[in-house]
Amino acid sequence: MKIWVDADACPKVIKEILYKAADRVSCELILVANQPLSTPRSAFIRAVRVEPGFDVADNYIVQHVQEGELVVTADIPLAAELLEKGAEALNPRGEFYNRETIRQKLTMRDFMDELRGSGVMSGGPPPLSQADRREFANALDRFLAQN
């Protein structure tokens, strides 16, 4: 069992939850980014640095993830690819992506991207709240208990 992290945009607090969980349950945690990452010393945690470029980290994860493994990402197109491969995808707010709703999420993402591109709307999601952090930790714990 491995947990993969789309680490370029993953909030630090979520990474810290993941570090503790990996050590607690002796699970391999792999953070993939196109910039240097600082991770705690652990036999279960490693960082993979990929070349800079659009979707390079995402492509690396898709190429290496196995069915049933977990990927932490806020990237909806990446989550869709992962679900196609049979992997699990969890966003930093504690929501699992699933096959029933991923197309709807992709459509909404594209619509919001169009609005931002036309100047109608700007900005991204709100900062992670304490409730979001709790939801993430609880969802991760449930996943680890089942696997």
Side-chain angles (χ1 to χ4, degrees):
M1 174 62 201
K2 293 179 186 171
I3 300 173
W4 296 83
V5 182
D6 181 9
D8 283 319
C10 186
K12 182 179 179 181
V13 66
I14 298 302
K15 290 177 194 170
E16 290 170 1
I17 292 168
L18 289 162
Y19 298 150
K20 290 175 187 171
D23 280 333
R24 185 179 75 241
V25 300
S26 304
C27 177
E28 188 174 357
L29 177 66
I30 306 160
L31 296 98
V32 182
N34 59 21
Q35 57 191 343
L37 292 173
S38 175
T39 60
R41 295 184 70 149
S42 169
F44 305 106
I45 302 168
R46 71 181 170 101
V48 174
R49 185 173 178 194
V50 296
E51 295 295 319
F54 186 71
D55 286 344
V56 176
D58 296 357
N59 293 337
Y60 182 93
I61 292 169
V62 170
Q63 289 170 358
H64 291 88
V65 72
Q66 298 295 310
E67 185 175 336
E69 292 179 339
L70 177 65
V71 180
V72 176
T73 184
D75 185 317
I76 296 169
L78 172 59
E81 282 189 76
L82 296 166
L83 292 174
E84 288 295 318
K85 280 196 78 168
E88 300 288 331
L90 174 64
N91 76 24
R93 295 182 189 275
E95 179 187 2
F96 277 95
Y97 298 97
N98 64 61
R99 290 179 180 268
E100 291 77 37
T101 60
I102 195 67
R103 293 291 160 226
Q104 176 186 3
K105 289 186 181 301
L106 280 167
T107 300
M108 181 57 80
R109 175 205 169 267
D110 292 344
F111 175 69
M112 298 303 281
D113 198 37
E114 276 185 46
L115 286 177
R116 281 189 292 277
S118 66
V120 173
M121 185 176 170
S122 64
L128 284 180
S129 68
Q130 282 297 113
D132 292 330
R133 296 170 192 183
R134 234 182 348 267
E135 284 295 317
F136 178 82
N138 290 338
L140 178 63
D141 284 344
R142 285 191 303 273
F143 180 84
L144 293 172
Q146 294 171 356
N147 295 285

